[in-house]
């Protein structure tokens, strides 16, 4: 009997040593840690359903009282507040015909699995790899996602990263259409779109979330794009019909990269949308047209896009009215996680601009707190933009100490995030 106990103890000790050695392996640590964290988040979210949170802010308007845009000459880049300096070429009067079917040979494929919210780095890496860049999605993430818990990468962050790579440029436009995407692809330029698909979340619920997707081909005969989808698979057949609604929820935003010496080629392929102000004006008209023919959650996105395009055109008063209506449409939706796009402010910050620059600081704080930070407070609320805007609103209301705390938290989630650094500098603090 004693011999059996000794043998059992020896076997257990050996297994313990092996298990400990395996846990020291970074790959296994990453996988086990990811799954453990997933189960913890499931429990916390089950106790506090995020779809129950309303978005009410201000007084709603009706479609017939949509604000007419008061357009200024410059547009803005998200968070930085700096005007874009884009070349404005003469738009091409016509475009050369393109084939009904076309496929580019993609670069390297990167999956986002076993990494949190990694479609931004993965798609940036895939887009760059097409042009001969030899880094990985982790190479990108070390710059634009230094904290692994960061919930979202903004389009401008991807564009800025690509523009910082030697010999490579990138631009972003909104209000896109399938013809533009296909024209770019057929002329040798793969395109990343930002969209809102319905995926199964970690609770196995169908729910709306933001996602980037690289398109490298299309087929008009069967009606699909060829996508290098970091969440699904390489060479995924993304149907036109499905993509249309998903893309709408992000204002039909797309990103294209190119060698520096081919910038004019891309601008010419964009036609009048090469001009940033013209592009935002066209997108505004597109959103307005859709508002009158959509309903339910799609109408919410229509109003939201209308507001976002007014923000891009610096008409903050009109944008605030449009967002008020969008949030009224949201609050009228069923409290169903498969219907309500409750993560919208994790990905798009236009309402913060609109309400802040119209003096509605309390609304900024309310939205940043209730519909962003507190919504994920048990799951590391790594949303640096929300902390920035809440801090900025607190400064405007004279709550300096609270604001400084928000700016510092912002930098914990995104080290070196310039808006928060500048905000602290304005308070005489140099972290």
């Amino acid at each position: 009997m004693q011999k059996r106990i000794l043998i059992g103890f020896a076997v257990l000790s050996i297994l313990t040593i092996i298990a400990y050695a395996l846990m020291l392996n970074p790959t296994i640590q990453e996988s086990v840690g990811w799954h453990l964290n997933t189960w913890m988040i499931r429990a916390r979210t089950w106790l506090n359903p995020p779809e129950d949170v309303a978005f009410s802010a201000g007084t709603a308007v009706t479609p017939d009282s949509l604000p007419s845009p008061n357009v200024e000459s410059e547009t803005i880049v998200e968070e930085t507040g700096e005007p874009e300096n884009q070349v404005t070429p003469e738009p091409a009067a016509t475009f050369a015909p393109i084939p009904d079917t076309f496929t580019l040979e993609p670069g390297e494929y990167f999956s986002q699995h076993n990494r949190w919210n990694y479609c931004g780095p993965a798609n940036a890496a895939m887009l760059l790899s097409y042009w001969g860049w030899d880094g990985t999605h982790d190479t990108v993430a070390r710059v634009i996602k230094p904290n692994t818990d960061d919930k979202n990468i903004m389009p401008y962050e991807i564009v800025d990263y690509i523009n910082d790579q030697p010999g490579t440029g990138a631009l972003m436009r909104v209000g896109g259409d399938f013809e533009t995407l296909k024209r770019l692809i057929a002329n040798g330029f793969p395109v990343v779109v930002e969209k809102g698909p319905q995926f199964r979340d970690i609770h196995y619920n169908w729910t709306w979330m933001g996602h980037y997707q690289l398109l490298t081909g299309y087929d008009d005969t069967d009606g699909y794009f060829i996508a290098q989808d970091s969440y699904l698979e390489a060479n995924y057949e993304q149907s036109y019909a499905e993509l249309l609604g998903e893309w709408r929820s992000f204002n039909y935003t797309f990103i294209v990269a190119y060698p520096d010496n081919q910038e004019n080629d891309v601008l010419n392929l964009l036609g009048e949308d090469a001009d940033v102000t013209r592009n935002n004006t066209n997108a505004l008209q597109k959103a307005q047209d859709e508002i009158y023919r959509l309903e339910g959650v799609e109408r919410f996105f229509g109003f939201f896009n209308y507001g976002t395009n007014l923000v891009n055109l610096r008409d903050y008063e009109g944008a605030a009215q449009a967002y008020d209506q969008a949030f009224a449409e949201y609050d009228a939706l069923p409290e169903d996680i498969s219907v309500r796009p409750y993560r919208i402010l994790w990905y798009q910050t236009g309402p913060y601009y609109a309400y802040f620059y119209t003096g509605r600081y309390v609304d900024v704080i309310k939205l940043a707190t209730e519909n962003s930070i507190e919504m994920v407070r048990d799951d590391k609320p790594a949303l640096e933009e929300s902390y920035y805007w809440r801090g900025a609103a607190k400064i405007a209301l004279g709550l300096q100490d609270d604001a400084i705390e928000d700016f510092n938290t912002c930098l914990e989630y995104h080290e070196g995030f310039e808006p928060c650094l500048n905000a602290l500098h304005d308070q005489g603090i140099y972290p």
Side-chain angles (χ1 to χ4, degrees):
M1 182 70 176
Q2 187 175 9
K3 184 177 180 181
R4 289 180 185 175
I5 294 174
L6 290 173
I7 293 173
F9 181 77
V11 170
L12 181 62
S13 299
I14 293 170
L15 291 175
T16 301
I17 292 170
I18 292 173
Y20 182 72
L22 289 173
M23 287 303 296
L24 291 178
N25 182 289
T27 302
I28 293 177
Q29 281 183 340
E30 181 181 77
S31 179
V32 172
W34 188 84
H35 288 291
L36 178 61
N37 201 17
T38 295
W39 283 104
M40 291 174 65
I41 294 169
R42 285 175 181 164
R44 292 164 181 162
T45 307
W46 181 78
L47 294 171
N48 298 286
E51 68 272 17
D52 291 350
V53 181
F55 264 92
S56 300
T59 304
V61 297
T62 64
D64 292 333
S65 62
L66 273 174
S68 298
N70 178 19
V71 180
E72 296 187 14
S73 60
E74 293 180 333
T75 56
I76 61 174
V77 178
E78 286 271 2
E79 311 305 337
T80 64
E82 296 295 331
E84 287 190 88
N85 296 315
Q86 292 286 354
V87 178
T88 307
E90 289 295 326
T94 58
F95 297 109
I98 60 173
D100 292 337
T101 302
F102 191 89
T103 303
L104 294 169
E105 185 66 32
E108 187 170 355
Y109 175 76
F110 293 102
S111 168
Q112 69 184 77
H113 291 293
N114 287 338
R115 288 170 172 79
W116 288 107
N117 305 294
Y118 229 71
C119 65
N123 277 270
M126 287 190 287
L127 188 56
L128 278 166
S129 73
Y130 177 81
W131 298 109
W133 182 80
D134 61 1
T136 72
H137 49 348
D138 293 327
T139 309
V140 179
R142 281 193 287 271
V143 177
I144 67 175
K145 188 181 166 71
N147 188 315
T148 57
D149 294 317
D150 191 353
K151 295 267 184 298
N152 176 56
I153 303 301
M154 294 289 188
Y156 79 88
E157 294 180 281
I158 294 176
V159 170
D160 287 350
Y161 181 86
I162 295 173
N163 280 325
D164 285 341
Q165 306 310 303
T168 308
L171 56 79
M172 177 190 75
R173 291 294 184 271
V174 295
D177 55 52
F178 287 172
E179 291 307 307
T180 299
L181 299 182
K182 291 187 288 186
R183 187 165 60 247
L184 288 164
I185 292 168
N187 282 275
F189 298 98
V191 185
V192 168
V193 294
E194 187 177 25
K195 64 175 195 166
Q198 292 278 337
F199 283 153
R200 286 203 183 276
D201 63 14
I202 60 176
H203 312 279
Y204 303 107
N205 296 315
W206 282 106
T207 179
W208 179 91
M209 58 185 71
H211 186 53
Y212 290 107
Q213 187 180 62
L214 176 65
L215 307 179
T216 58
Y218 63 87
D219 186 328
D220 283 344
T221 303
D222 293 322
Y224 63 81
F225 285 101
I226 299 171
Q228 310 308 315
D229 195 299
S230 60
Y231 183 80
L232 298 173
E233 61 185 2
N235 299 316
Y236 174 74
E237 294 183 0
Q238 172 65 70
S239 75
Y240 291 167
E242 187 178 60
L243 178 59
L244 182 63
E246 294 175 351
W247 198 20
R248 175 184 295 120
S249 63
F250 278 87
N251 199 26
Y252 303 99
T253 296
F254 64 97
I255 298 169
V256 59
Y258 45 81
D260 285 342
N261 61 2
Q262 295 185 42
E263 179 179 27
N264 283 333
D265 295 336
V266 171
L267 292 170
N268 287 327
L269 290 169
L270 292 175
E272 67 176 18
D273 283 320
D275 180 84
V276 179
T277 300
R278 182 74 255 171
N279 173 245
N280 287 314
T281 304
N282 290 342
L284 179 72
Q285 184 61 55
K286 183 171 185 172
Q288 183 170 353
D289 292 343
E290 290 191 333
I291 285 168
Y292 290 95
R293 62 179 179 81
L294 299 174
E295 58 185 23
V297 69
E298 300 302 330
R299 197 156 180 254
F300 160 72
F301 289 129
F303 274 111
F304 199 97
N305 291 342
Y306 194 85
T308 297
N309 292 315
L310 286 175
V311 165
N312 291 339
L313 292 165
R314 293 187 183 274
D315 181 1
Y316 301 119
E317 188 67 43
Q321 294 179 49
Y323 287 130
D324 286 344
Q325 181 62 34
F327 293 142
E329 296 285 340
Y330 179 97
D331 291 347
L333 296 172
E335 291 183 7
D336 183 339
I337 198 168
S338 67
V339 175
R340 285 190 164 189
Y342 69 87
R343 297 181 178 90
I344 188 76
L345 291 185
W346 299 15
Y347 310 118
Q348 303 188 54
T349 56
Y352 297 143
Y353 281 94
Y355 294 149
F356 183 87
Y357 288 115
T358 53
R360 292 170 57 176
Y361 308 122
V362 173
D363 283 334
V364 173
I365 294 172
K366 178 179 182 295
L367 287 174
T369 302
E370 296 180 7
N371 301 102
S372 181
I373 294 170
E374 285 193 353
M375 188 177 282
V376 291
R377 66 183 181 277
D378 294 325
D379 173 25
K380 298 181 181 179
L383 295 155
E384 66 269 28
E385 295 86 4
S386 298
Y387 280 105
Y388 165 73
W389 282 106
R390 191 172 75 170
K394 288 176 178 177
I395 288 291
L397 292 173
L399 305 172
Q400 184 184 38
D401 291 343
D402 288 347
I404 290 171
E405 183 179 351
D406 276 346
F407 296 142
N408 282 323
T409 304
C410 163
L411 293 177
E412 290 177 15
Y413 289 128
H414 192 146
E415 183 180 355
F417 189 59
E418 189 172 348
C420 289
L421 281 176
N422 290 339
L424 287 173
H425 294 171
D426 289 343
Q427 302 307 310
I429 299 171
Y430 297 85

